[in-house]
Amino acid sequence: MKDIQKEFLENRNKNKDIWRLFRIVSEFTEAFDELYDLGPAVAIFGSARAKQGDFYYEKAYEIGKSFAKEGYAVITGGGPGIMEAANKGAFEANGVSVGLNIELPHEQHLNPYVNLPLNFRYFFTRKVSFVKYAVGFVVMPGGYGTLDELFESLVLIQTRKIGQFPVVLYGSEFWLEIVDFLKFLVKRGYIDKEDIELVKVSDSIEEVVDYIKKHTFTITNNNKKDV
């Protein structure tokens, strides 16, 4: 029997479904409990494969540090690459550095710059935690996972399941081709022209921070770790 057939059949196992429900509820419960007191946070998405010294790794570090200095918590997927860089920036600025880590067979491990860690088995429980506690999203270059997080956020904003939180795509040389694809979708009538305006493309860290601040609200809870 092929593995895919085995998985197909196992997914219809009622006993496993019961335990799966308990696991899902447990992940939500832990996340809601741990993040309940979190102040305004910015979610930063990006590739797990970026290395220290890479252009976008260093920019993610600066972005994470800048938001922490402004009093925002920084939320990432908790893994290596861009996630590590953003967490490192927030951590070294004495900010709240949240890592929503996902169990994967390769690539993902919790980076050492997270001071508020959470572990997830399911992508969807993890993504709920991203959008529930973030007041803005900064998306760095990345692959399938990054695009999944980007378009999940845009769908929720477009369909008004969440508010019109600011979404910034950092790195025009990477994102303008994606924006061209969005324009193609407009041309084909699959999205509205206004939907493209849900994202802003920028190459300036200062502009990214100012844009998020302008389109959110004044911070009353300073997300700083006690020392």
Side-chain angles (χ1 to χ4, degrees), residues 8-137:
F8 177 83
L9 295 174
E10 286 182 347
N11 282 337
R12 281 146 183 79
N13 185 315
K14 289 186 178 181
N15 290 329
K16 287 190 175 183
D17 283 345
I18 292 172
W19 288 109
R20 186 176 290 118
L21 282 172
F22 282 130
R23 179 64 183 264
I24 291 168
V25 171
S26 174
E27 289 195 358
F28 277 132
T29 301
E30 182 180 8
F32 295 167
D33 182 60
E34 290 293 326
L35 300 176
Y36 175 77
D37 292 325
L38 189 69
V42 175
I44 301 177
F45 304 133
S47 174
R49 303 184 185 189
K51 305 297 182 184
Q52 186 171 359
D54 289 354
F55 177 80
Y56 286 114
Y57 182 103
E58 300 304 324
K59 293 301 180 182
Y61 168 82
E62 294 177 32
I63 290 171
K65 191 171 188 176
S66 296
F67 276 114
K69 286 183 175 179
E70 291 291 337
Y72 291 91
V74 169
I75 304 178
T76 79
I82 296 297
M83 297 173 281
E84 175 185 287
N87 283 133
K88 183 178 180 181
F91 183 88
E92 293 187 353
N94 195 35
V96 176
S97 180
V98 183
L100 307 182
N101 192 49
I102 185 76
E103 297 175 11
L104 294 177
H106 61 87
E107 212 173 67
Q108 186 84 356
H109 59 270
L110 190 66
N111 72 68
Y113 303 105
V114 171
N115 51 36
L116 206 172
L118 283 167
N119 289 294
F120 295 85
R121 181 173 182 176
Y122 300 106
F123 273 107
F124 72 92
T125 56
R126 179 177 180 246
K127 285 193 285 187
V128 167
S129 299
F130 273 123
V131 300
K132 181 175 173 63
Y133 295 100
V135 298
F137 306 92

